[in-house]
Amino acid sequence: MNLHVDQDRCCGAGQCVLAAPELFDQREEDGLVVLLAAEPPAELLAVAEDAVAACPGRAIRLDRG
Ligand code: SF4
């Protein structure tokens, strides 16, 4: 699985960090998303999907391949 984030779409809401703190963080200066793991292990699929669903900016893309 691969994760991608689009910082241009991110509004810094932080829902991804709440849903999946293993996978996302926020920049100190402006709150924009920081991707911690671009190729997370399969056992984190559920939390990755939660983060995608929770993101109000649709800034997270998940490729399951
Ligand atoms: S939930 Fe979406 S909009 Fe909010 S910080 Fe995470 S990536 Fe950005």
Side-chain angles (χ1 to χ4, degrees), residues 18-40:
L18 291 174
E22 308 93 333
L23 302 176
F24 303 98
D25 200 353
Q26 288 176 276
R27 288 202 309 220
E28 294 250 338
E29 58 269 33
D30 54 13
L32 293 186
V33 64
V34 174
L35 180 60
L36 299 178
E39 297 181 19

Side-chain angles (χ1 to χ4, degrees), residues 5-6 9-17 24-26 31-33 51 54-60:
V5 295
D6 182 348
R9 301 188 67 124
C10 175
C11 59
Q15 298 304 313
C16 55
V17 182
F24 303 98
D25 200 353
Q26 288 176 276
L32 293 186
V33 64
C55 176
R58 295 187 177 274
I60 305 169

